[in-house]
């Protein structure tokens, strides 16, 4: 930005140009003071703005004035008179505080802003939602920072954002004071006085400033008196941020950003990182701005092993205290993680310096996230009212992996400005507060997907931003406690949530018994009088299931003499068809005694929740669908069984192959062939069967003892899988210790251990020691997609070829094997899982798996009115898998080469598979230019084996600042790919956070349940009334646990969907790499690999269709309920 030569002689213009370019807080303020002195301008507010506009009328200034005039001309501001006469104090010059000050100034209020620092030093980078980008552009951000959101950039450093907003605020007449700390409020001393601020230093002239609106944007640690914060606690979460110097060299430009990748859907990458470096992360993000910015979540054990944390301590504050952190080890840890995630392509990583002139690396705890219980309150003292509001971190502390901080911060700033506008208009205070709290309810759930799509219409009016918002959701009578007279405080105790109290309602136990009696009445041999001996034969449980689901049980064929077998059948039916996990073993239920009645009551309460449709029992000959709250659990149970069958078939096939090879070697050893056997045929000596520990028997006879640790397991902490009972906390992967959940684990019957999908043991012939895990994890990628040598660059990020754990890519054939042997095994597993999951309501059997007819499924989809499920017949799948992509099929259009037209068909598939259904522009259908750097195929193969593949190809992720030279279709693909990756990452982090919060709540419920169960099982007799009360309380906790399990299962289904999305994205990129290669350059191996990728892509799409169908059925069942 420069001033024309004929205007260089105008000192005011030169000062204004320096003001626009200023890169430090003090420099900006100094230039502005100098500008005002040069122009002789006094006053503040919009009066000052109009004076500047009149004095600076050259081309560069006028371009800025036109933007600000357009903004100020919005009807909400009433030409700058909406809040005329209102005096506001804003505390904090962070992005949200400055944004709030700008809105108040546009409303015509007098605005004073305080900041305790005198510099902007935060290099950390913020993700920007589309509306924030549009909003900042409307404020003239490009005039102050020319690189703002160039191309597809959607982020900015905090420091640059503060500088932009500070300059706008100054131009609009906001009075900014630095090095002033807000200490508290001073109430009016008389009826004629007003509210003052207690400041440090006390000599500040602002101590005499009277105001009637206080907006706090001072950060999460600063909340004015009267506001109470509540916290949501998850498992220990340690974040690390680091900034490296960005020299903007060509090599740095070529490195792709990472909008976000999470372990929850890409375990492969993080396992490779751990195997290579010992660094164990949950997620990582990399942005390029003024610095190379990395932010990641590290696991505590990894930090301890790497020497970053010196001693393990229970208290989080002590754990991360400077005295307990090895600073040098932390720097090394962050640098190593950054190098690995960028495939070591960032040259000469050098730490940027923070405001203390130290390497800009920070480690912080975000285990507890806090938010204010209310967004505003009113104080009245001596007849003078003060409206107080919160914005930014002190309102809602953002969860950094979601990238929501500045977006929701801006939304809250707009909401607060609307509140001030309503206040200045004379709206009664309680109505102002009620409306503000109604809006505040929406803030934590907002996302780009559920806010209004027309971002150009956004204003401070909430109706322009939030869809279907009810501004009267909270009534004025409900916020009376937020209007404080005198120096009284808010009575937070009366507002506390007592829903977690164990004081349960009514006689739940008696109600359950009555329901069981009514449900089993009329069945021969069944007489329910208690929760013990009435159920030992198994007939009562059989009758209960038959009453509501006669299609599942043939009551007349049940043998009352074989109680254990009857109970086992009923337990299996309940788990596989109703989504009810067992609490007791079949043997325990057949020998029921008095003390065991607690377990049975707990188990039967699940049936009560599933089958109860009204207070009275409804008997129907028509099979009832499971209650919608159990649909997710049922689906995950079927998913788990299908996986177990797939694992078993794969192991059996591999075992047969091994035996066949062994027979061949034996024949060779007898002298029939003189050649030495290939070492690749040798069976490794270390296998699952030789682990030194005999396999555990599948007894499951004692539900009170944990299968894994052997200790006592109480009802509330009891979980089950594969007929085993254990503590929820013990349900972990045997190899890596990762928490396991229903639908996302593998069980090895050989050694009796549970594993995560990534570490499920190979068949005995191919099992590897733990220290060779890296080769195992990365060596199986080669056969899936032989990447063409000219379809990539040397700096591919490390998740490029990492397949999703849901569908591992077939391993490369070993020497001596026929091509496709291992691939066939994987295909069997995938098809088995796909066929089993295609029957949400059917029985899953290993012997027979009926197929869903496409015609019937299509008709059902049309009748339901939901999303249409795409089901291909075997012939259609075969046709897709054998598509001819060599340019011989369709001749039109005649003016284009055949290959170009043929590429359009596969290009259209990803849009259809992603449910977008959006036609690409004509220019996006043209041939992709081969502008990627060629790389040696052997080097690529080596990178894959080392676990360096991030699924971010340079072709789809060109540097945002270099995108102007790319054609429109490539920029569109880059933008969509980046948005998709960011959405997937944010969804994954929201799910992960909620799962952790659920886990913490589980532990709290377990502690309460253990206490109650001990009281109930105490040998000392307690009064009957007391026993009943304790039992009811225990059932109440069980019900809460069931609800949490349902929510957890819903989240796990979302996790499965994310994994499939990630896998589809990676397969999509691989397919494009082949499609971009000239047909004449494709080898037979390339064509075979291309067909294999297309086949895998169709299978992934089919699996996603099953999930879509489940979610649609769940939605419809909830509507019916």
């Amino acid at each position: 930005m420069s001033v024309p030569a004929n205007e260089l002689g105008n000192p005011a213009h030169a000062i204004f140009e320096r003001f626009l370019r200023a890169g430090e807080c003090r420099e900006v303020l100094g230039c502005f003071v100098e500008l005002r002195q040069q122009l002789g301008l006094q006053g503040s507010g919009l009066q000052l703005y109009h004076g500047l506009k009149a004095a600076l009328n050259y081309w560069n200034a006028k371009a800025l004035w036109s933007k600000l005039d357009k903004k100020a001309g919005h009807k909400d501001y009433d030409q700058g008179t909406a809040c005329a006469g209102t005096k506001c104090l804003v505390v904090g010059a962070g992005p949200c505080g400055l944004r709030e000050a700008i809105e108040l100034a546009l409303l015509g209020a007098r605005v004073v802003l305080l900041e305790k620092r005198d510099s902007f030093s935060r290099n950390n980078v913020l993700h920007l939602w589309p509306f924030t980008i549009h909003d900042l552009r409307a404020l003239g951000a490009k005039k102050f920072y020319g690189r703002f959101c160039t191309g597809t950039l959607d982020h900015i450093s905090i420091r640059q954002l503060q500088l932009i907003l500070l300059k706008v605020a100054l131009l609009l007449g906001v009075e900014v004071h630095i090095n002033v700390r807000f200490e508290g409020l001073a109430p009016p001393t008389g009826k004629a006085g007003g509210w003052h601020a207690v400041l440090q230093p006390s000599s500040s002239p602002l101590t005499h400033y009277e105001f009637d609106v206080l907006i706090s944007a001072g950060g999460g640690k600063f909340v004015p008196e009267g506001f109470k914060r509540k916290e949501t606690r998850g498992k220990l979460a340690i974040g690390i941020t680091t900034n490296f110097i960005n020299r903007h060299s060509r090599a740095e430009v070529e490195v792709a950003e990472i909008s976000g990748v999470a372990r929850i859907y890409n375990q492969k990458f993080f396992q490779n990182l751990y195997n290579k470096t010992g660094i164990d992360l949950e997620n990582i993000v990399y942005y390029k701005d003024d610095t190379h910015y990395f932010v990641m979540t590290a696991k505590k054990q990894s930090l301890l092993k790497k020497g970053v944390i010196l001693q393990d301590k229970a208290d989080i504050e002590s754990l991360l205290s400077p005295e307990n952190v090895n600073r040098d080890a932390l720097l090394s840890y962050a640098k190593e993680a950054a190098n690995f995630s960028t495939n070591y392509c960032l040259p000469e990583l050098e730490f940027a310096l923070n405001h203390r002139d130290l390497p800009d690396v920070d480690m912080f705890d975000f285990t507890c996230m806090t938010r204010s219980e209310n967004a505003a309150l009113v104080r009245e003292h001596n007849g003078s009212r003060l409206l107080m509001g919160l914005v930014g971190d002190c309102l809602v502390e953002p969860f950094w992996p979601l990238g929501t901080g500045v977006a929701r911060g801006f939304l809250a700033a707009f909401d607060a400005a609307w509140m001030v506008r309503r206040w200045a208009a004379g709206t009664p205070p309680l109505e102002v507060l009620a409306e503000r709290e109604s809006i505040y309810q929406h803030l934590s759930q907002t996302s780009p997907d559920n806010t209004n799509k027309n971002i150009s219409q956004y204003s401070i009016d909430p109706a322009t931003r939030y869809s279907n918002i009810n501004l009267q959701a909270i009534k004025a009578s409900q916020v009376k406690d937020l209007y404080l007279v005198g120096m009284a405080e808010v009575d937070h105790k009366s507002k506390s949530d007592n829903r977690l109290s164990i004081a349960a309602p009514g006689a739940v136990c008696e109600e359950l018994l009555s329901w069981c009696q009514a449900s089993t009445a009329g069945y021969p041999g069944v007489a329910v009088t208690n929760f013990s001996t009435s159920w030992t034969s198994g007939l009562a449980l059989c009758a209960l299931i038959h009453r509501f689901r006669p299609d599942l049980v043939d009551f007349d064929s049940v043998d009352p003499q074989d109680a254990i077998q009857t109970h086992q059948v009923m337990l299996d039916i309940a788990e596989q068809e109703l989504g009810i996990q067992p609490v007791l073993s079949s043997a325990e239920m057949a020998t029921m005694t008095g003390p065991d009645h607690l377990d049975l009551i707990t188990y039967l309460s699940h049936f009560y929740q599933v089958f109860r449709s009204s207070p009275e029992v409804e008997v129907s000959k028509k099979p009832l669908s499971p209650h919608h709250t159990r649909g997710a659990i049922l689906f995950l149970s079927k998913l788990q069984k299908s996986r177990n069958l797939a694992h078993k078939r794969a192991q059996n096939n591999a075992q047969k192959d091994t035996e066949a090879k062994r027979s061949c070697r034996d024949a060779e050893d007898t002298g029939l062939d003189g050649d030495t056997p290939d070492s690749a045929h040798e069976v490794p000596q270390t296998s699952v069967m030789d682990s030194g520990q005999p396999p555990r028997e599948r007894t499951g006879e004692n539900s009170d003892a944990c299968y894994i640790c052997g200790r006592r397991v109480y009802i509330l902490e009891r979980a089950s899988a594969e007929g085993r009972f254990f503590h929820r906390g013990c349900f972990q992967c045997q190899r890596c210790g990762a928490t396991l959940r229903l639908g996302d684990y593998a069980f090895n019957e050989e050694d009796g251990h549970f594993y995560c999908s990534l570490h499920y043991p190979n068949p005995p012939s191919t099992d590897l020691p733990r220290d060779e895990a890296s080769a195992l994890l990365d060596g199986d990628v080669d056969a899936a997609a032989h990447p063409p040598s000219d379809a990539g660059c040397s700096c591919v990020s490390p998740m490029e070829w990492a397949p999703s754990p849901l569908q591992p890519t077939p391993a490369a054939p070993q020497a001596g094997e026929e091509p496709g042997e291992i691939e066939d095994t994987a295909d069997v597993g995938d098809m088995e899982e796909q066929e089993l999951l295609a029957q949400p309501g059917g029985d899953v059997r290993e012997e027979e798996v009926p197929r869903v007819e496409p015609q019937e499924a299509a008709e059902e989809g049309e009748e339901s009115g939901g999303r249409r499920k795409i089901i291909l017949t075997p012939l259609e799948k075969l046709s897709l898998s054998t598509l001819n992509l060599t340019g011989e099929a369709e001749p039109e259009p005649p003016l284009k080469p055949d290959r170009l037209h043929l590429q359009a068909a596969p290009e259209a598939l990803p849009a259809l598979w992603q449910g977008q259904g959006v036609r690409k522009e004509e220019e996006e259908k043209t041939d992709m230019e081969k502008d990627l750097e060629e790389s040696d195929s052997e080097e690529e193969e080596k990178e894959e084996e080392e676990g360096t593949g991030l699924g971010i190809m340079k072709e789809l992720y060109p540097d945002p600042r270099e995108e102007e030279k790319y054609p429109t279709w490539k920029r569109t693909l880059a933008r969509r790919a980046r948005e998709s990756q960011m959405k997937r990452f944010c969804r994954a982090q929201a799910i992960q956070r909620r799962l952790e919060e659920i886990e913490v709540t589980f532990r709290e419920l377990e502690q309460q349940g253990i206490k109650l169960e001990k009281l109930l099982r105490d040998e000392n007799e307690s009064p009957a009334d007391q026993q009943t009360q304790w039992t009811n309380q225990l059932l109440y906790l069980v019900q809460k646990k069931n609800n949490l399990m349902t929510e957890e299962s819903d989240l796990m289904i979302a996790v499965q969907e994310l994994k499939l999305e990630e896998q589809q994205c990676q397969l999509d990129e691989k397919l494009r790499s082949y499609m971009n290669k000239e047909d004449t350059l494709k080898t037979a191996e390339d064509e075979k690999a291309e067909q294999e990728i297309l086949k895998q892509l169709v299978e992934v799409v089919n699996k996603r269709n099953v999930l879509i169908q489940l979610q649609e059925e769940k939605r419809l069942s909830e509507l019916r309920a």
Side-chain angles (χ1 to χ4, degrees):
M1 192 181 300
S2 60
V3 182
N6 60 349
E7 295 183 352
L8 287 176
N10 190 325
H13 293 178
I15 297 172
F16 187 68
E17 289 295 327
R18 285 196 289 113
F19 168 78
L20 295 178
R21 293 193 301 267
E24 298 292 339
C25 175
R26 283 173 290 187
E27 183 184 1
V28 170
L29 294 173
C31 288
F32 191 70
V33 170
E34 186 180 353
L35 179 64
R36 290 182 60 176
Q37 292 174 349
Q38 178 67 35
L39 298 176
L41 296 176
Q42 301 295 326
S44 61
L46 294 180
Q47 178 185 357
L48 176 62
Y49 167 71
H50 293 304
L52 289 168
K53 188 171 64 169
L56 301 170
N57 56 5
Y58 72 102
W59 68 272
N60 201 19
K62 285 195 291 187
L64 179 59
W65 304 143
S66 64
K67 282 188 170 292
L68 295 180
D69 283 344
K70 183 179 179 181
K71 180 72 174 177
H74 194 279
K75 61 183 179 63
D76 287 345
Y77 304 122
D78 289 340
Q79 298 299 318
T81 63
C83 293
T86 303
K87 292 183 288 186
C88 306
L89 178 68
V90 179
V91 179
C96 297
L98 287 164
R99 191 65 191 84
E100 177 68 19
I102 290 171
E103 288 301 321
L104 295 177
L106 288 170
L107 286 166
R110 181 187 176 188
V111 186
V112 174
L113 185 144
L114 306 180
E115 171 55 46
K116 62 183 179 181
R117 302 180 181 89
D118 60 1
S119 64
F120 298 153
S121 58
R122 289 184 288 176
N123 292 314
N124 293 354
V125 178
L126 298 171
H127 172 66
L128 300 178
W129 291 5
F131 94 85
T132 53
I133 296 175
H134 184 275
D135 176 68
L136 290 168
R137 281 178 174 160
L139 293 175
K142 293 282 283 186
K143 294 295 180 182
F144 306 108
Y145 183 53
R147 291 187 296 172
F148 175 75
C149 289
T150 303
T152 60
L153 269 180
D154 58 357
H155 49 77
I156 188 173
S157 69
I158 298 177
R159 189 178 69 85
Q160 285 292 351
L161 180 56
Q162 286 178 285
L163 288 171
I164 292 172
L165 294 174
L166 173 63
K167 294 171 185 178
V168 176
L170 290 171
L171 293 175
L172 293 175
V174 176
E175 304 172 43
V176 179
H177 299 265
I178 58 175
N179 294 320
V180 179
R181 182 188 298 271
F182 180 85
E183 298 286 348
L185 284 170
T189 55
K191 292 186 178 181
W195 291 84
H196 298 263
V198 179
L199 304 176
Q200 190 63 243
S202 58
S203 58
S204 172
L206 291 176
T207 55
H208 304 293
Y209 175 60
E210 294 184 358
F211 48 89
D212 46 21
V213 174
L214 172 66
I215 301 296
S216 173
K221 295 182 179 179
F222 172 76
V223 180
E225 294 182 6
F227 292 92
K228 183 180 179 181
R229 297 173 71 79
K230 57 183 177 182
E231 66 178 26
T232 55
R233 180 176 292 273
K235 294 197 299 185
L236 178 64
I238 301 174
I240 297 176
T241 60
T242 181
N243 286 277
F244 299 97
I245 295 175
N246 187 355
R247 299 178 178 84
H248 305 286
S249 65
R250 184 65 189 177
E252 291 171 300
V253 166
E254 290 178 351
V255 179
E257 292 183 336
I258 305 172
S259 295
V261 59
R263 176 186 292 272
I264 198 170
Y265 61 80
N266 199 329
Q267 295 171 304
K268 190 90 170 180
F269 165 70
F270 293 98
Q271 186 62 43
N272 294 337
L273 171 65
Y274 178 74
N275 291 336
K276 185 176 180 65
T277 66
I279 294 174
D280 203 3
L281 303 179
E282 288 287 351
N283 49 50
I284 189 168
V285 173
Y286 162 51
Y287 285 143
K288 275 183 286 190
D289 205 87
D290 289 342
T291 61
H292 295 289
Y293 170 69
F294 292 84
V295 57
M296 61 201 82
T297 302
K299 292 190 175 183
K300 182 179 72 171
Q301 291 302 321
S302 170
L303 294 171
L304 287 167
K305 289 181 180 179
K306 298 287 284 185
V308 177
I309 297 178
L310 302 179
Q311 293 182 345
D312 190 3
K313 298 182 179 181
D315 178 57
I316 300 177
E317 188 173 347
S318 301
L319 181 74
L320 300 182
S321 64
E323 299 78 18
N324 197 42
V325 174
N326 184 330
R327 186 75 180 173
D328 292 336
L330 175 60
L331 299 181
S332 175
Y333 190 98
K335 190 171 186 177
E336 202 167 5
N339 271 321
F340 181 89
S341 61
T342 56
N343 198 19
Y344 301 89
C345 289
L346 284 176
E348 302 177 12
L349 278 182
E350 181 180 346
F351 289 103
L353 301 181
N354 59 20
H355 62 284
R356 296 187 296 270
D357 289 331
L358 296 174
D360 194 357
V361 181
D362 191 23
M363 187 162 60
F364 59 96
D365 162 55
F366 59 98
T367 303
C368 297
M369 308 305 297
T370 60
R371 67 193 307 267
S372 177
E373 289 188 349
N374 52 288
L377 58 86
V378 173
R379 285 188 177 276
E380 181 180 339
H381 192 78
N382 287 337
S384 179
R385 292 173 177 171
L386 174 67
L387 175 64
M388 301 174 64
L390 305 180
V391 297
D393 290 3
C394 62
L395 180 63
V396 177
E397 191 174 6
F399 183 50
W400 74 259
L402 299 183
T404 59
V406 70
R408 290 180 180 167
F410 276 23
L411 290 174
F414 298 158
D415 296 338
W418 180 257
M419 174 185 68
V420 175
R421 185 184 188 278
R422 297 271 288 160
W423 172 269
T427 307
L430 290 181
E431 291 185 19
V432 173
L433 292 174
E435 185 177 88
R436 179 68 187 97
E437 298 306 316
S438 298
I439 300 170
Y440 181 42
Q441 287 184 326
H442 289 258
L443 186 62
S444 294
Q445 285 75 44
T446 54
S447 70
D449 296 327
N450 60 23
T451 49
N452 287 336
K453 298 299 183 288
N454 192 356
I455 59 177
S456 63
Q457 299 299 315
Y458 279 21
S459 72
I460 61 174
D461 185 350
T464 64
R465 294 175 278 117
Y466 305 113
S467 302
N468 304 318
I469 188 171
N470 180 8
L471 298 179
Q472 297 179 344
I474 295 178
K475 306 300 181 184
S477 59
Q478 297 175 266
V479 294
K480 289 182 178 179
D481 57 325
L482 299 181
Y483 190 99
L484 308 178
V485 180
M487 297 308 293
E489 296 298 330
V490 178
D491 184 10
H492 294 286
K493 292 183 179 180
S494 63
K495 299 175 59 180
S496 61
D497 186 359
N498 294 320
R499 287 173 294 178
L500 286 180
S501 170
I502 63 173
V508 182
C509 190
E510 288 78 1
E511 182 182 352
L512 178 62
L513 181 60
S514 299
W515 179 79
C516 291
Q517 290 172 337
S519 301
T520 57
Y523 283 88
V526 178
V528 176
T529 59
N530 54 40
F531 288 114
S532 56
T533 56
S534 298
W535 302 83
T536 54
S537 67
L539 292 178
L541 185 58
C542 179
L544 185 64
I545 297 176
H546 184 269
R547 171 59 61 95
F548 297 97
R549 292 295 301 272
D551 58 311
L552 298 180
V553 178
D554 183 4
F555 183 83
D556 297 331
S557 65
V558 175
D559 182 9
Q561 303 301 320
D562 192 353
I564 294 180
Q565 178 62 25
T566 300
H567 276 296
Q568 188 59 56
V569 172
M570 295 303 106
L571 290 174
D572 291 342
I573 290 175
E575 183 175 13
Q576 298 169 11
E577 301 298 335
L578 303 176
I580 300 176
Q581 292 184 307
V583 178
L584 291 164
S585 67
S586 58
E588 289 174 319
M589 294 189 71
T591 58
M592 191 70 61
T593 59
D596 292 329
H597 78 281
L598 287 177
D599 304 89
L600 183 61
I601 290 174
T602 302
Y603 186 54
L604 294 176
S605 68
H606 299 328
F607 289 90
Y608 183 64
Q609 282 186 283
V610 170
F611 288 139
R612 184 187 60 172
S613 57
S614 68
E616 297 181 1
V617 177
E618 294 182 1
V619 180
S620 174
K621 294 182 180 180
K622 183 179 179 180
L624 298 174
S625 298
H627 194 271
H628 70 275
T629 57
R630 286 279 162 178
I633 298 178
L634 175 60
F635 175 80
L636 290 178
S637 298
K638 290 183 178 294
L639 174 63
Q640 193 60 60
K641 184 169 184 178
S642 69
R643 283 185 174 171
N644 293 345
L645 293 177
H647 283 310
K648 186 175 181 180
R649 288 175 183 266
Q651 280 190 325
N652 290 340
N653 291 339
Q655 184 66 35
K656 291 178 183 178
D657 294 341
T658 302
E659 292 175 357
K661 294 172 191 174
R662 185 181 294 113
S663 299
C664 293
R665 286 200 306 274
D666 292 342
E668 292 173 355
D669 292 341
T670 59
L672 296 177
D673 192 331
D675 294 337
T676 303
D678 194 332
S679 60
H681 294 252
E682 295 181 3
V683 181
Q685 297 299 315
T686 57
S687 69
V688 174
M689 298 301 295
D690 301 326
S691 60
Q693 178 181 350
R696 301 180 69 162
E697 298 181 3
R698 181 173 178 168
T699 59
E701 297 296 330
N702 187 1
S703 62
D704 288 341
C706 178
Y707 170 76
I708 298 173
C709 71
R711 295 194 298 270
R712 173 67 181 269
V713 54
Y714 291 90
I715 293 174
L716 259 294
E717 57 181 357
R718 188 177 303 170
S720 65
E722 307 299 321
R724 277 75 170 169
F725 299 94
F726 40 78
H727 300 94
R728 278 182 56 88
C730 293
F731 195 30
Q732 298 178 343
C733 174
Q734 175 67 17
R735 178 171 294 186
C736 68
T739 300
L740 301 178
R741 294 181 175 90
L742 181 63
D744 198 24
Y745 72 87
F747 180 71
N748 186 3
E749 294 185 357
E750 298 291 339
D751 64 2
H753 292 311
F754 292 94
Y755 296 89
C756 65
S757 302
L758 193 63
H759 290 126
Y760 184 74
N762 289 294
S765 62
T766 57
D767 190 49
L768 295 177
R770 180 184 180 117
D771 57 356
E772 296 180 27
S774 178
L776 169 65
L777 292 172
D778 306 300
D780 63 352
V781 181
D782 190 78
H786 308 278
S789 59
D790 64 342
C793 71
S794 58
C795 291
V796 179
S797 299
M799 293 166 51
E800 165 92 12
W801 305 106
S804 169
L806 257 184
Q807 183 175 337
T809 309
Q814 299 293 328
E817 294 181 2
E818 292 296 327
E821 284 181 353
I822 299 181
E823 293 177 7
D824 291 341
T825 301
D827 291 343
V828 169
D830 287 338
M831 289 302 297
E832 182 73 19
E833 178 176 337
Q834 190 172 313
E835 293 172 359
L836 290 169
L837 293 183
Q839 312 169 71
D843 188 16
V844 182
R845 290 182 172 84
E846 183 178 356
E847 294 80 15
E848 181 179 0
V849 183
R851 301 185 62 87
V852 178
E853 293 299 328
Q855 182 64 30
E856 296 175 0
E859 294 174 358
E860 179 183 352
E862 292 175 1
E863 293 174 0
S864 66
R867 285 170 285 187
R868 184 177 179 185
K869 179 182 178 184
I870 302 173
I871 299 181
L872 303 176
T873 64
L875 182 59
E876 290 170 334
K877 292 178 180 177
L878 180 61
S879 299
L880 272 178
S881 63
T882 56
L883 280 178
N884 186 358
L885 300 177
T886 59
E888 302 174 1
E890 298 185 28
E892 294 183 352
L895 297 180
K896 295 182 179 180
D898 292 343
R899 186 179 68 85
L900 300 185
H901 181 74
L902 286 172
Q903 278 193 337
E907 278 186 10
L909 286 175
L912 175 63
W913 291 331
Q914 294 171 7
Q916 295 173 353
V918 179
R919 290 181 177 269
K920 298 271 194 295
E921 297 179 4
E922 186 64 24
E923 57 191 1
E924 293 176 20
K925 296 181 180 178
T926 58
D927 184 29
M928 293 185 177
E929 299 174 3
K930 300 184 295 296
D931 59 343
L932 301 179
E933 297 178 6
E934 295 188 2
S935 59
D936 192 297
S937 59
E938 293 181 358
E939 292 180 359
E940 278 189 5
E941 198 171 306
K942 182 178 179 181
E943 289 174 1
E944 292 171 19
E945 293 175 355
E946 293 177 352
T948 56
L950 232 175
I952 304 174
M953 298 185 66
K954 185 178 177 183
E955 176 179 339
L956 290 182
Y957 291 87
D959 184 80
R961 298 186 185 91
E962 300 290 316
E963 284 181 356
E964 298 301 328
K965 68 182 182 182
Y966 290 98
T968 303
W969 66 263
K970 180 168 285 190
R971 295 200 301 270
T972 302
L973 280 179
R975 177 177 54 81
R976 289 179 179 175
R978 189 175 288 110
E979 288 175 356
S980 175
Q981 185 187 44
M982 187 64 193
K983 286 182 179 179
R984 189 160 54 248
F985 176 71
C986 290
R987 285 170 56 200
Q989 294 313 299
I991 291 170
Q992 181 68 34
R993 178 67 186 185
R994 182 56 190 153
L995 286 173
E996 292 174 355
E997 292 172 359
I998 288 175
E999 197 65 36
V1000 171
T1001 307
F1002 266 130
R1003 288 200 293 265
E1004 295 173 353
L1005 293 177
E1006 288 169 2
Q1007 293 303 315
Q1008 298 179 44
I1010 290 172
K1011 293 179 182 178
L1012 286 172
E1013 188 173 350
K1014 287 180 178 179
L1015 291 173
L1016 288 167
R1017 295 185 185 276
D1018 192 356
E1019 296 181 358
N1020 298 327
E1021 292 294 333
S1022 300
D1025 292 344
Q1026 184 67 64
Q1027 291 273 348
T1028 301
Q1029 182 181 359
W1030 287 340
T1031 303
N1032 291 338
Q1033 291 175 350
L1034 184 64
L1035 286 178
Y1036 178 68
L1037 294 179
V1038 169
Q1039 184 179 2
K1040 291 187 68 63
K1041 176 187 175 183
N1042 292 343
N1043 293 337
L1044 286 174
M1045 288 182 63
T1046 298
E1047 184 182 358
E1048 183 182 56
S1049 299
D1050 286 333
L1051 293 172
M1052 290 307 299
I1053 290 178
V1055 169
Q1056 305 302 326
E1057 188 173 10
L1058 284 175
K1059 289 180 177 180
L1060 289 173
E1061 284 183 19
E1062 175 73 10
Q1063 188 177 359
Q1064 179 177 333
C1065 178
Q1066 293 174 3
L1067 290 172
D1068 220 11
E1069 293 170 6
K1070 295 175 188 178
L1071 187 60
R1072 286 184 185 279
S1073 68
Y1074 284 104
M1075 289 162 51
N1076 295 339
K1077 190 176 183 180
E1078 292 287 350
D1079 295 338
T1080 56
L1081 300 179
K1082 289 183 181 179
T1083 64
E1085 191 178 47
D1086 289 340
E1087 293 178 355
K1088 180 180 177 181
E1090 186 173 359
Q1091 299 298 326
E1092 179 61 30
I1093 292 173
L1094 186 59
K1095 179 181 177 182
Q1096 293 178 23
L1097 202 51
V1098 171
E1099 292 173 354
V1100 171
V1101 170
N1102 288 338
K1103 291 180 181 181
R1104 291 191 67 185
N1105 286 338
V1106 174
L1107 289 177
I1108 291 174
Q1109 184 184 32
L1110 171 75
Q1111 292 170 339
E1112 180 66 11
E1113 291 176 353
K1114 181 175 181 293
R1115 183 185 67 84
L1116 293 175
S1117 67
E1118 289 174 346
L1119 289 176
R1120 289 192 297 267

